Amino acid sequence: MTSTSTAENVRPASSNDVLAAIDMGSNSFHMVVARVVHGEIRTLEKMGEKVQLGAGLDDQNRLTPEAQERGLACLSRFAQRLKGFPPESVQVVGTNALRVARNTGEFIARAEEILGYPVEIIAGREEARLIYLGVSHTLADDSGRRLVIDIGGGSTEFIIGKRFEPQHLESLHMGCVSFRNRYFPDGKITRKQMEKAVTHAKQELLNISKSYRSTGWKSAVGSSGSIKAIANALATLKISDGTITRAGMEELRRRLINMGRTDRLGEIGIRIDRQSIFPAGFAILMGAFESLGINDMAFADGALREGLLYDILGRIKHEDVRERTISALQERYHVDQVHAEAVEETCISAWNQVAKAWGIHTSADEDVLRWACRLHEIGLTISHSQYHKHGAYLLRYSDLPGFTQQFQRDLSVLVRGHRRKFSPAIFEDLDKDDEYRLRHLCILIRLANIIQHPRNMEPPPAWTLHAHPNRLVLVFKKGWLDDRPLTLADLENEKEFLARQNFTLEIVDS
């Protein structure tokens, strides 16, 4: 474990201007604690540990017990520092190893128990977006495009952006741990194995190299531990001042092959805990230099965890990238936004009355409900038939900036279940708590959709909802349903749908 502090007197973590982020990478786990000062983030403390979670994946892509224990032991040390932080001030994310592991759920459950905060798994392009956010806040605010590369344990992210906005985001399935296991497993560094590793990296880059080179960039920046180690090695060998150049990379490759073994890398200043993965990270960066035509690259300290902090800050300041993503989806799929707004207003009217009784009263519950209402008809762009299923698929598998995989799953479930049969298949593969929460949220969006079915944009009715564990009583103002016979018919049908899943809906016209 390494830990650094940049402030002598750290105020209690409960102060609402203190934020924390944990990045559970395939190679290392990192935590950063920072304070918000005049809208900027000032780092108070950084902690990191080489967990090598990615190296703990067996031949069936399951995390071994030993790898899980390494990760959980590290998180238990992080947990002590997090005590007292409000939930909205903490983000904990997992990347490639937890994306691909088949028993991720088991690890997450134990991690959440230790930390006391939710753990989210982010998709590759979301990881790339957050990396760019972290890097861009640590660099000069210039006007040109920049290329950012981050080499992780299981994936490598490539981003082209301008100022704080990414324009191209890609995450490729190659990392220093996976390349180490494939090309340098015995610690030997041979010319043949290095060539194979560099060629593999160039093959992975084939799909993006043409579009990236045509877009172009003014400067290139590296942000990972692997790239930092390469810059330090070049400086130690006096090949460069720490700037990574094409000529410097060629010379470093020659010297690595001459050394022949990773256990000699201490001679060029590589820390012992990084020596085994150094040739693999070098090969990936060399492949990127050759494939993308990079001439020189600087190193930036900002990375995923700093990006997470700025993402938290944006949400606190109501500059939530997820809101922009929802609006973009509505535009792209030609959503009837006036109708969606009416469904949302009606749904939240119901939610406000039952949220506490049903235990679905968190801000995350409200967010997912609002956004599902806004997007419940996106599948109509594909086909009217079964459009709820088309919409669910789009939300589950699209790259949605700002959203974790779990949040996308929740949106998908609500859109899938907002109409027609209320089938158990909608909630399959969910744990008990998530099934309960999403089942009850789903009932609310179903009712809102029924109330707004006539599409006449009426405000929510003057109704009262009485919530019980498996029963909901709707009390309408006397005569309201008499004027809306089609709505009453829809509600009667809904009673039957819900009854098949042991849920009772009662309708009272008083």
Side-chain angles (χ1 to χ4, degrees):
M1 171 87 72
T2 59
S3 174
T4 60
S5 178
T6 57
E8 292 183 1
N9 299 308
V10 179
R11 284 190 286 172
S14 58
S15 177
N16 60 11
D17 60 356
V18 180
L19 312 176
I22 294 177
D23 156 24
M24 298 188 297
S26 301
N27 186 46
S28 304
F29 283 13
H30 292 277
M31 181 172 78
V32 60
V33 178
R35 179 181 294 139
V36 181
V37 180
H38 302 302
E40 292 296 321
I41 287 173
R42 305 283 175 83
T43 300
L44 301 176
E45 190 171 9
K46 289 184 178 181
M47 299 179 183
E49 186 170 341
K50 291 285 183 298
V51 172
Q52 295 202 327
L53 205 61
L57 288 168
D58 63 20
D59 55 5
Q60 295 182 328
N61 265 5
R62 296 181 66 85
L63 291 169
T64 63
E66 294 78 13
Q68 292 194 51
E69 290 305 322
R70 289 197 302 271
L72 295 171
C74 175
L75 293 179
S76 68
R77 290 184 275 276
F78 289 174
Q80 183 178 355
R81 183 64 183 84
L82 287 178
K83 285 182 179 178
F85 278 76
E88 65 274 12
S89 297
V90 178
Q91 278 213 73
V92 185
V93 303
T95 58
N96 188 71
L98 291 171
R99 285 197 288 267
V100 303
R102 295 176 62 187
N103 58 339
T104 292
E106 171 190 325
F107 179 82
I108 288 177
R110 297 176 67 188
E112 289 180 338
E113 185 177 352
I114 289 170
L115 292 170
Y117 296 91
V119 173
E120 307 282 1
I121 309 303
I122 54 176
R125 287 185 177 176
E126 174 64 2
E127 182 179 356
R129 182 189 73 84
L130 290 166
I131 288 167
Y132 184 82
L133 187 61
V135 169
S136 61
H137 276 90
T138 63
L139 297 176
D141 187 12
D142 56 44
S143 58
R145 287 195 189 96
R146 60 172 66 101
L147 168 70
V148 174
I149 299 178
D150 185 285
I151 302 171
S155 64
T156 298
E157 282 64 51
F158 297 84
I159 311 100
I160 293 178
K162 202 170 184 181
R163 299 191 70 237
F164 301 110
E165 293 297 327
Q167 297 172 335
H168 296 268
L169 297 163
E170 289 294 342
S171 178
L172 302 183
H173 194 61
M174 58 179 177
C176 56
V177 173
S178 56
F179 265 45
R180 185 271 312 277
N181 294 346
R182 183 165 183 173
Y183 296 108
F184 310 99
D186 55 2
K188 293 180 181 178
I189 310 172
T190 67
R191 185 179 304 277
K192 182 177 181 181
Q193 290 306 101
M194 181 62 75
E195 287 177 358
K196 284 184 176 181
V198 172
T199 299
H200 184 170
K202 291 165 69 175
Q203 288 174 321
E204 292 288 337
L205 280 154
L206 278 176
N207 288 333
I208 70 168
S209 58
K210 185 176 180 180
S211 64
Y212 271 51
R213 292 184 78 153
S214 64
T215 300
W217 55 85
K218 182 179 178 182
S219 59
V221 181
S223 66
S224 65
S226 287
I227 295 176
K228 181 179 183 180
I230 291 168
N232 289 342
L234 291 171
T236 299
L237 291 168
K238 295 184 171 49
I239 295 173
S240 75
D241 60 359
T243 301
I244 303 171
T245 64
R246 181 71 172 269
M249 289 289 285
E250 294 287 0
E251 175 62 17
L252 183 54
R253 171 160 57 180
R254 185 184 68 80
R255 298 206 188 190
L256 290 175
I257 292 169
N258 286 342
M259 283 183 177
R261 293 195 58 81
T262 57
D263 58 13
R264 292 188 57 193
L265 292 176
E267 298 171 19
I268 58 172
I270 307 303
R271 297 198 321 260
I272 191 168
D273 62 347
R274 184 164 286 278
Q275 290 174 9
S276 71
I277 58 174
F278 183 84
F282 174 86
I284 291 170
L285 189 61
M286 190 78 236
F289 264 66
E290 294 181 4
S291 181
L292 299 176
I294 301 169
N295 293 317
D296 56 76
M297 172 179 283
F299 174 75
D301 277 323
L304 172 58
R305 51 198 173 275
E306 285 77 21
L308 286 167
L309 292 176
Y310 278 101
D311 204 49
I312 297 170
L313 182 59
R315 296 180 189 185
I316 291 172
K317 294 169 67 177
H318 306 292
E319 298 168 359
D320 194 338
V321 68
R322 295 174 300 177
E323 288 282 0
R324 296 205 303 270
T325 297
I326 297 298
S327 296
L329 285 170
Q330 289 182 307
E331 293 291 336
R332 184 186 312 161
Y333 293 105
H334 312 293
V335 169
D336 181 344
Q337 295 186 38
V338 176
H339 174 64
E341 184 178 340
V343 172
E344 178 186 352
E345 187 181 2
T346 303
C347 193
I348 296 304
S349 165
W351 177 79
N352 282 327
Q353 297 187 55
V354 304
K356 287 188 178 179
W358 275 351
I360 52 171
H361 52 83
T362 69
S363 59
D365 292 327
E366 181 179 4
D367 286 342
V368 75
L369 200 57
R370 286 186 181 278
W371 291 330
C373 289
R374 295 179 203 175
L375 299 175
H376 73 284
E377 290 188 333
I378 65 169
L380 284 171
T381 299
I382 298 173
S383 171
H384 186 276
S385 176
Q386 305 289 309
Y387 75 82
H388 52 300
K389 294 182 180 179
H390 301 315
Y393 184 89
L394 289 170
L395 290 171
R396 186 69 181 264
Y397 297 108
S398 297
D399 286 314
L400 304 184
F403 286 94
T404 63
Q405 290 183 338
Q406 292 98 317
F407 211 111
Q408 286 189 227
R409 177 208 64 190
D410 290 357
L411 278 174
S412 174
V413 167
L414 294 187
V415 169
R416 167 70 178 81
H418 86 271
R419 67 191 287 263
R420 297 291 177 88
K421 293 180 181 179
F422 195 54
S423 165
I426 299 170
F427 309 100
E428 63 185 359
D429 300 326
L430 298 174
D431 63 35
K432 187 176 180 181
D433 289 341
D434 282 340
E435 179 182 355
Y436 174 89
R437 179 174 58 85
L438 292 172
R439 187 169 181 260
H440 286 76
L441 289 170
C442 202
I443 289 170
L444 297 179
I445 194 173
R446 290 173 71 90
L447 292 173
N449 187 56
I450 289 170
I451 297 297
Q452 295 298 337
H453 191 185
R455 305 182 85 90
N456 53 15
M457 315 314 165
E458 280 191 293
W463 57 353
T464 303
L465 284 70
H466 301 287
H468 307 274
N470 285 299
R471 183 165 65 96
L472 182 63
V473 181
L474 306 182
V475 182
F476 291 92
K477 186 177 180 181
K478 191 169 183 62
W480 192 88
L481 287 172
D482 292 340
D483 296 333
R484 298 164 179 83
L486 293 179
T487 300
L488 178 58
D490 281 344
L491 287 170
E492 293 293 344
N493 288 335
E494 183 67 8
K495 285 172 65 174
E496 294 183 16
F497 283 135
L498 298 182
R500 292 170 193 163
Q501 300 306 319
N502 300 314
F503 189 94
T504 301
L505 179 66
E506 295 182 19
I507 303 165
V508 179
D509 185 8
S510 66

